[in-house]
Amino acid sequence: MNFPALSKKALLQKIAEINPEKYARTRNFHNGNVTRLSPYVSRGVLSTSEIFDHLQKQNYRAEQCESLVKELCWRDYFQLVWEHKGEEMFQDMNRRQPMADRKGIPVKMTEANTGIEAIDKALQQFYKDGYLHNHMRMYIAMLACNLARCHWSIPAKWMYYHLLDADAASNTCSWQWVSGAFSNKCYYANQENINRYFGTHQRNSYLDTSYDAIEKMSVPEILNEIFEPQFITALPQNNTPILKPELPVLVYNFYNLDPEWHKDLPANRILLLEPEFFRIHPSSDLVLDFILRQSKEIPDIQIMSDSFESLQAICGRMPIHFKQHPTTRHYRGKAEAVKKIFPEASGYFSSFSKYWKQAEPAFYRAFRG
């Protein structure tokens, strides 16, 4: 599966093709009717609210859309967690991760050789196109954290590194949820579950047993060897942008590639790739290539691989605009809020269920017409 750079028009057409009922029925299956929009949402080309607004206009009933809307809201919820927790999000949030007595990632997992056919096939494809089905991400996290007993932090960083839809909030919180650090229990799946949802017929694997047995088993031999991989981001060579001093500066970044942002405003448009950001949150060549290709949908974009402070020095007194995000807290200029689906659900919630309880009345009002 390839993810080309797409215009906003093409993406809006993809939104129009969404069938929320089919999504709800099939989303957990490897060939389910999912949207395939996550790389564009994570990179800020589309917003969750744009998808929600489209659904609201299509005369669907609330129950037809609830499953898809909840999945969109998980993104908004995890973003709220990052906004309010800050760097604390990258530590065990609710409790110390159960079962975690090792730091690293199983070697065989990075080699796509875990002994579980569906997982290995998905990992092989993952290295080619940067995409993993959400259900598969849970299986992988389960193996790394709850069977191999590795702390979630390094495996989560490995997955983020390769994901086209890499989002530090969604990725980090999801790994913590599976591992039990951001939930009340650890997630497990057995071979029967994996076969059902991913169309395999594997038998006699170490997962081909009961859930009670899986929870009590020792680390499977194939997952025993672990290591700490190195993650390097190869940023493009830095070039000093050529700025028109009479125009404002719009700063785009890893989380904002929105071609519609102030599209009618004459401006200097800079894609800022900060080395310090990518040192903390490294991404693969495949991800960087996707970013650079997608950025070409922004007219007259210039790329700068340097710090915000360096850009600010070049700008002088020129007004700078950017979108609010946890990664732009050190920016200076006019910060513009990103619309969330349910602004009524603001603040920090210790669980998605508490967030949804706050958002649910607005959801039903939206679909009453």
Side-chain angles (χ1 to χ4, degrees):
M1 180 190 309
N2 294 317
F3 290 88
L6 293 177
S7 67
K8 197 61 172 276
K9 181 179 179 181
L11 288 168
L12 292 175
Q13 178 58 41
K14 284 186 171 293
I15 293 175
E17 295 169 359
I18 293 173
N19 185 318
E21 291 184 290
K22 287 184 179 179
Y23 174 89
R25 289 196 306 270
T26 66
R27 68 182 181 87
N28 283 329
F29 292 87
H30 79 288
N31 58 352
N33 194 266
V34 295
T35 69
R36 312 293 185 189
L37 292 174
S38 60
Y40 308 99
V41 174
S42 294
R43 300 288 65 80
V45 186
L46 281 176
S47 68
T48 55
S49 60
E50 284 178 292
I51 300 173
F52 177 79
D53 290 345
H54 168 79
L55 294 173
Q56 189 181 355
K57 295 173 183 175
Q58 301 309 303
N59 296 318
Y60 289 116
R61 298 186 306 277
E63 59 270 23
Q64 292 175 295
C65 292
E66 184 172 357
S67 178
L68 177 54
V69 171
K70 278 187 173 179
E71 288 304 305
L72 295 172
C73 283
W74 271 102
R75 285 180 172 272
D76 282 4
Y77 166 64
F78 286 147
Q79 195 67 26
L80 285 173
V81 172
W82 196 1
E83 290 172 5
H84 289 270
K85 285 286 189 178
E87 292 305 304
E88 292 180 24
M89 187 186 73
F90 300 100
Q91 305 167 14
D92 292 359
M93 284 191 291
N94 278 10
R95 59 173 178 160
R96 185 176 179 179
Q97 179 189 331
M99 310 286 288
D101 51 21
R102 306 200 294 170
K103 186 177 180 181
I105 184 171
V107 172
K108 294 298 184 180
M109 179 173 288
T110 64
E111 295 175 350
N113 189 24
T114 68
I116 307 301
E117 293 172 7
I119 292 177
D120 293 339
K121 182 178 179 181
L123 286 173
Q124 290 163 13
Q125 191 64 35
F126 179 41
Y127 285 134
K128 294 178 182 177
D129 62 21
Y131 178 80
L132 279 171
H133 189 285
N134 278 344
H135 208 167
M136 178 54 66
R137 299 181 199 202
M138 295 170 65
Y139 295 153
I140 292 168
M142 173 199 69
L143 288 193
C145 298
N146 303 336
L147 271 73
R149 299 186 180 181
C150 294
H151 190 266
W152 60 266
S153 54
I154 290 175
K157 193 171 188 177
W158 160 80
M159 183 176 284
Y160 174 99
Y161 180 77
H162 294 285
L163 283 171
L164 289 192
D165 64 10
D167 179 284
S170 294
N171 187 61
T172 299
C173 292
S174 295
W175 274 83
Q176 291 207 47
W177 187 88
V178 169
S179 70
F182 192 43
S183 58
N184 296 323
K185 60 181 180 179
C186 301
Y187 170 82
Y188 291 95
N190 64 10
Q191 189 67 61
E192 181 183 10
N193 182 287
I194 295 171
N195 287 345
R196 176 189 176 194
Y197 287 106
F198 279 78
T200 51
H201 304 281
Q202 187 174 4
R203 292 288 182 267
N204 302 317
S205 74
Y206 54 88
L207 292 180
D208 194 14
T209 185
S210 69
Y211 282 97
D212 285 343
I214 291 174
E215 290 186 36
K216 296 173 183 176
M217 72 169 50
S218 301
V219 176
E221 183 178 353
I222 199 168
L223 302 178
N224 194 47
E225 183 184 359
I226 63 172
F227 78 122
E228 295 189 33
Q230 298 298 309
F231 303 103
I232 299 173
T233 303
L235 293 177
Q237 181 179 355
N238 183 46
N239 293 305
T240 302
I242 300 173
L243 303 180
K244 297 179 181 179
E246 70 278 10
L247 300 180
V249 177
L250 302 187
V251 184
Y252 300 77
N253 54 38
F254 189 76
Y255 288 104
N256 174 24
L257 294 177
D258 182 3
E260 298 289 296
W261 184 41
H262 294 305
K263 68 175 183 179
D264 296 323
L265 176 69
N268 299 289
R269 301 177 189 273
I270 307 298
L271 171 57
L272 185 64
L273 304 175
E274 295 189 273
E276 179 63 12
F277 168 82
F278 287 100
R279 183 189 69 79
I280 299 170
H281 305 289
S283 288
S284 70
D285 291 348
L286 187 70
V287 176
L288 261 292
D289 177 68
F290 176 72
I291 291 170
L292 295 175
R293 286 187 288 110
Q294 188 62 53
S295 72
K296 292 178 182 178
E297 295 295 324
I298 302 168
D300 302 318
I301 192 77
Q302 297 184 70
I303 299 168
M304 184 176 179
S305 301
D306 208 335
S307 66
F308 176 81
E309 290 74 18
S310 296
L311 175 60
Q312 189 177 28
I314 295 169
C315 292
R317 294 180 175 274
M318 300 165 68
I320 297 175
H321 299 253
F322 58 92
K323 289 191 178 185
Q324 284 181 339
H325 191 270
T327 60
T328 65
R329 287 172 176 158
H330 62 295
Y331 286 16
R332 295 294 177 266
K334 183 178 180 181
E336 302 181 13
V338 176
K339 182 182 176 184
K340 292 183 171 63
I341 297 174
F342 299 117
E344 300 90 342
S346 60
Y348 175 71
F349 301 89
S350 60
S351 68
F352 180 79
S353 61
K354 292 179 180 178
Y355 164 88
W356 183 249
K357 184 177 180 180
Q358 186 74 21
E360 192 172 27
F363 166 71
Y364 280 104
R365 286 197 301 270
F367 285 94
R368 275 203 297 263

